[in-house]
């Protein structure tokens, strides 16, 4: 295990923001973390450095150089643990690229993750965000995960209930002793994640964009590979590829309101995109709200609002003149203010700001 100093983080965050880590360690195996923690002041670790766990960097806004010791998770591995007439149990190392992992499961003939194709990021970060798209959330396919407690160095395993999944939320996003009573933010380094892909496979086709694909192509009973291809095509058409235009996916969560609040908004803006939720609340499309406030294509410095999807903030300066984290956050705050002034709704950012 080697501590690298003054490491450029631009290649490691999907926004492409230029910042540096004072110290960075690449974690290839569980033993790297235990070794590091067992020598807190040893030659391998800067004394008393707090740690920051860096996964795929696809849900991150960096606002300055990182002083904490960055643990860059690069744990590899893909394996089938169990196959039965009830389903497949598969495991990915936290450092595996998410889309590569999804494609691999399909290549092996194990369907179930196809709706989550092309989401940027790593396998280890997927439960933190409880990533979701086109009618499927990670929690629908999650089995369990292994992690290491960064305070004690002890490994532990969590099942789905213990992860406290919610919409783009989990126990990993809450500080210890938070309102949820149990938080692991800054405390856990996820090392491996297991997914349960049940048999018989059932397609999830309820999302409007997928219904459109069925109508367009005339294919009404697609297999998992077909759904994977459709999701890839839909995302490519709507969302910027971080390899070309830096971004962190949806910048805000879709807010939920009461039916009364929604009726109030509809009275003023009949076109507001809204979806009734099973618990009686109504989810609004944040992208629509931002778009309605006229933000598409606007910029603060080199941070901008994507022309094809107002929910996505982008780096317009590329790698040569990247936006700063400060520009991204100034733009985000201006959007929040204008959506609040017009609709009375407070948008909550999705990415981690560091
Ligand atoms: N809309 C507009 N203008 C815009 C953007 C959206 O009018 O600029 C409207 C669309 O026409 C549509 C509605 O808003 O009627 C919803 O848009 P879309 O279907 O693109 O989905 P979304 O709610 O904006 C969510 C997730 C995405 C996920 C898609 C598909 C969140 C915050 N975002 O976006 O997740 O891929 O649904 O399931 O839940 C991510 O989290 O990074 C992400 C990309």
């Amino acid at each position: 295990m080697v501590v690298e100093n003054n490491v450029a983080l631009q290649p490691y965050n999907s926004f492409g923001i230029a910042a540096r880590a004072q110290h960075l360690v690449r974690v290839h195996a569980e033993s790297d973390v235990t070794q590091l923690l067992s020598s807190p002041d040893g030659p391998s670790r800067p004394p008393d450095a707090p740690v920051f766990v860096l996964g795929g960097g696809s849900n991150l806004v960096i606002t300055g150089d990182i002083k904490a010791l960055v643990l860059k998770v690069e744990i590899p591995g893909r394996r089938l643990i169990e196959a039965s007439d009830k389903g497949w149990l598969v495991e990915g190392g936290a450092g595996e690229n998410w889309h590569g992992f999804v494609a691999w499961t399909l290549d092996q003939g194990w369907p179930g993750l196809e709706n989550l194709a092309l989401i940027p990021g790593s396998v280890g970060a997927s439960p933190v965000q409880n990533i979701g798209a086109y009618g499927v959330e990670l929690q629908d396919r999650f089995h369990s995960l292994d992690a290491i407690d960064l305070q004690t160095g002890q490994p532990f395993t969590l099942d789905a209930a213990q992860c406290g999944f919610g919409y783009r939320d989990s126990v990993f996003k809450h500080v210890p002793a938070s309102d949820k009573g149990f938080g692991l933010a800054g405390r856990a380094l996820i090392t491996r994640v297991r997914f349960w892909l049940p048999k018989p496979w059932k397609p999830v086709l309820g999302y409007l964009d997928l219904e459109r694909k069925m109508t367009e192509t005339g294919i009404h009973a697609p297999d998992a590979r077909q759904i994977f291809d459709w999701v890839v095509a839909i995302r490519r058409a709507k969302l910027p590829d971080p390899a070309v235009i830096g971004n962190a996916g949806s910048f805000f969560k879709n807010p939920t309101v009461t039916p009364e609040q929604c009726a109030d908004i509809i009275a003023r803006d009949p076109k507001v995109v809204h979806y009734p939720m099973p618990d009686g609340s109504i989810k609004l499309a944040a992208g629509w709200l931002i778009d309605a406030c006229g933000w598409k294509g606007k910029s603060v410095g080199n941070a901008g609002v994507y022309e094809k999807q107002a929910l996505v903030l982008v780096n317009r300066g590329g790698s040569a003149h990247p936006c700063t984290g400060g520009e991204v956050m100034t733009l985000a705050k201006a959007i929040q203010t204008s959506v609040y002034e017009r609709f009375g709704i407070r948008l909550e950012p999705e990415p981690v700001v560091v």
Side-chain angles (χ1 to χ4, degrees), residues 192-242:
R192 291 174 200 280
V193 187
R194 285 172 292 277
F195 302 88
W196 175 246
L197 310 177
K199 281 186 200 169
W201 170 77
K202 287 195 207 81
V204 179
L205 294 164
Y207 203 88
L208 188 65
D209 285 338
L210 289 172
E211 284 174 3
R212 272 198 204 118
K213 285 282 180 200
M214 287 195 285
T215 314
E216 270 166 39
T217 58
I219 301 172
H220 292 282
D223 61 10
R225 172 61 63 176
Q226 178 66 75
I227 297 173
F228 175 90
D229 290 343
W230 282 345
V231 169
V232 166
I234 294 165
R235 291 189 76 96
R236 289 218 166 108
K238 239 187 213 187
L239 297 167
D241 176 355

Side-chain angles (χ1 to χ4, degrees), residues 116-128:
L116 301 175
L118 215 63
I119 295 181
S122 61
V123 166
S126 64
V128 177

Side-chain angles (χ1 to χ4, degrees), residues 18-32:
R20 291 188 167 267
Q22 287 186 357
H23 309 285
L24 181 143
V25 168
R26 290 170 204 274
V27 174
H28 298 285
E30 286 81 345
S31 56
D32 288 336

